[in-house]
Amino acid sequence: MYLIDKPIGEVLNNSAFELNPANALLPDLAFMLLEHSAEVDPTTAFPGPPDLAVEVMSPSDKWSGVSKKVQLYQQAGTRLVWVVDPFDQGVTVYRLNKPRRLLLVDDELDGEDVIPGFKLPVKTLFEY
C-alpha cells in the first residue's frame, strides 16, 4: 500500500541476487529502488544486492545460517536487512555499520532512509 502512494521502488519475491561470484541468495522478500529495479531480469540473478532484504525464519532455520546470510548481504552492500522471527514474534534489524536492533510486538518497523516514511507496527506481521 505504501508503494502505491509513493512509487519509489518495488517489492520482489522469488528473485535471486548475486552478492559475489560465489554467492547468490534468494531472500524471502526484497525491496529495490526504482533506479535499481529497472535492471532486474526475473530469469537471472540480479548482479548485486537488494536495497532491503527480508528473511523470515522457518522451523528448519538455524540462527547461524541466517546470520551468515545477513553477513553476506551486508558485505555486498545491502543497506537494510530485516530478519522476521514468527516464533518469538520479533524482527531483528541490521544496518550497515550499526549495531543490530531487536524489535518486539509493541515496536514499530521503520524503513529508515531506504524506504523513507514507511512504518509498520511489528504486531501486524504476526496477526493471522
Side-chain angles (χ1 to χ4, degrees):
M1 297 304 287
Y2 173 89
L3 292 173
I4 291 172
D5 294 334
K6 297 177 178 139
I8 61 168
E10 67 178 293
V11 174
L12 304 166
N13 68 343
N14 215 16
S15 295
F17 295 86
E18 186 177 330
L19 303 180
N20 60 49
N23 292 291
L25 295 181
L26 188 72
D28 292 304
L29 285 176
F31 172 79
M32 298 283 290
L33 290 167
L34 281 181
E35 63 233 35
H36 302 140
S37 67
E39 305 164 20
V40 173
D41 175 357
T43 63
T44 62
F46 179 79
D51 294 296
L52 163 68
V54 180
E55 293 287 344
V56 179
M57 298 286 293
S58 70
S60 62
D61 283 332
K62 291 188 168 72
W63 269 106
S64 59
V66 174
S67 293
K68 179 65 176 168
K69 285 183 180 180
V70 170
Q71 184 180 29
L72 289 169
Y73 286 125
Q74 289 187 317
Q75 287 172 343
T78 300
R79 295 166 40 202
L80 187 60
V81 180
W82 295 338
V83 177
V84 179
D85 184 346
F87 311 104
D88 291 331
Q89 297 195 342
V91 179
T92 305
V93 177
Y94 297 85
R95 290 281 306 182
L96 283 175
N97 305 316
K98 292 188 178 180
R100 68 178 178 238
R101 291 183 304 136
L102 174 62
L103 303 177
L104 301 174
V105 292
D106 292 331
D107 295 321
E108 185 173 63
L109 200 53
D110 187 326
E112 303 181 32
D113 63 340
V114 177
I115 311 173
F118 175 81
K119 296 196 183 300
L120 180 72
V122 170
K123 65 182 170 191
T124 62
L125 296 173
F126 307 111
E127 294 173 347
Y128 34 82

